[in-house]
Amino acid sequence: MTRIDAKFADLNAQGKKAFVAYVMAGDPDYATSLEIVKGLPGAGVDIIELGLPFTDPMADGPTIQLAGQRALDGGMTLQKTLDLAAEFRKTDDTTPIVLMGYYNPIYSRGVDRFLEDAKAAGIDGLIVVDLPPEEDDELCIPAQAAGMNFIRLATPTTDDKRLPKVLQNTSGFVYYVSITGITGSAEAEATNVGPEVARIKASTDLPVIVGFGINTPEKAQNIASVADGAVVGSAIVSQVAAGKPVDEVLAFVKSLADGAHRA
């Protein structure tokens, strides 16, 4: 059982929904980023999504793209991202970390070496947005064999014909993208999301977590009420981009987590 599986089992036993927070590793710099990540569990975050900076983040909106650019400009690398996770693990051995990014940096390092290093750093799951199910032999299957969850995205355009393929080798949870388009570009609506979550859950026992377009405690509560939890990324990253002190960023995160936990 991975930390992700254990976390959902614990939340389920408490009758609670999950709150997942996304932050870009190394944004605005390594030290500040580490301080934020270390503070997330205390702010109510159940699962941390750690963004891996990349030069061509095609699925991300301007907010996340600029965060990645700030991190890269500050010298952030795949290795430093793993170092950050390992540093976090020195004081927290229970909060799951999902590494979210693109395949190129992983491919460049070599899949076997990457998986070994990621596992050693305390990474529990991967979301690799540009690897479709047709490429599962590349990373998904090896990652699962190494004891890591491979989390897949489902979207409003994932129809009933495509859904089984998407779910086939997915583990940990399903990440439902609530809107069409890029991150941070529109707002999620529970009335639209609810039926889609139900459709996915009819085909899998995995938790379904909803992200994209969630930017207030009320929105987090509404979306979590029709799913197994909510993810917030761009709204948190925007706080970092605005230069807010770490304690203010974490206070904002806590307000979102409280919203999701009220669901």
Side-chain angles (χ1 to χ4, degrees):
M1 182 183 272
T2 66
R3 288 187 188 93
I4 295 170
D5 300 329
K7 175 59 72 174
F8 278 112
D10 181 46
L11 287 167
N12 204 36
Q14 297 179 60
K16 281 176 74 176
K17 302 299 179 77
F19 180 69
V20 183
Y22 171 97
V23 292
M24 179 66 73
D27 177 33
D29 56 67
Y30 181 93
T32 308
S33 176
L34 177 60
E35 192 181 347
I36 291 169
V37 171
K38 282 185 168 182
L40 292 176
V45 173
D46 299 301
I47 297 172
I48 297 168
E49 258 182 40
L50 191 59
L52 176 61
F54 181 52
T55 51
D56 185 24
M58 58 192 177
D60 294 307
T63 302
I64 305 291
Q65 284 191 8
L66 289 168
Q69 197 57 55
R70 286 192 298 272
L72 291 169
D73 289 347
M76 205 60 182
T77 61
L78 171 55
Q79 183 57 53
K80 287 184 179 178
T81 301
L82 296 179
D83 291 346
L84 189 149
E87 196 63 36
F88 172 84
R89 280 281 169 248
K90 289 180 180 177
T91 54
D92 186 317
D93 195 41
T94 56
T95 305
I97 299 177
V98 175
L99 193 65
M100 184 171 187
Y102 298 81
Y103 186 46
N104 187 283
I106 296 169
Y107 177 80
S108 298
R109 193 182 190 88
V111 167
D112 291 345
R113 183 182 163 208
F114 165 75
L115 290 174
E116 190 177 320
D117 293 346
K119 188 76 178 166
I123 301 294
D124 304 291
L126 302 173
I127 299 175
V128 183
V129 295
D130 55 347
L131 269 186
E134 286 75 14
E135 307 295 337
D136 274 358
D137 289 341
E138 284 278 331
L139 180 63
C140 173
I141 304 298
Q144 309 241 35
M148 265 184 270
N149 292 123
F150 199 89
I151 294 138
R152 192 84 68 192
L153 303 179
T155 73
T157 59
T158 307
D159 60 20
D160 289 339
K161 186 180 175 188
R162 180 66 175 166
L163 186 59
K165 189 77 174 171
V166 169
L167 296 174
Q168 189 175 337
N169 292 312
T170 299
S171 65
F173 60 92
V174 179
Y175 187 136
Y176 180 68
V177 177
S178 65
I179 55 172
T180 52
I182 52 174
T183 56
S185 62
E187 292 201 358
E189 297 295 342
T191 49
N192 300 330
V193 169
E196 288 297 294
V197 170
R199 181 171 70 92
I200 295 166
K201 288 180 78 69
S203 299
T204 181
D205 293 331
L206 292 170
V208 179
I209 306 298
V210 177
F212 287 49
I214 303 169
N215 48 24
T216 65
E218 294 71 30
K219 191 72 76 174
Q221 180 178 357
N222 291 343
I223 294 299
S225 71
V226 297
D228 295 301
V231 186
V232 179
S234 294
I236 297 170
V237 172
S238 294
Q239 298 278 310
V240 178
K244 297 281 181 71
V246 171
D247 59 344
E248 284 187 30
V249 174
L250 293 173
F252 176 66
V253 173
K254 186 177 186 307
S255 73
L256 296 164
D258 289 348
H261 290 148
R262 280 195 297 271

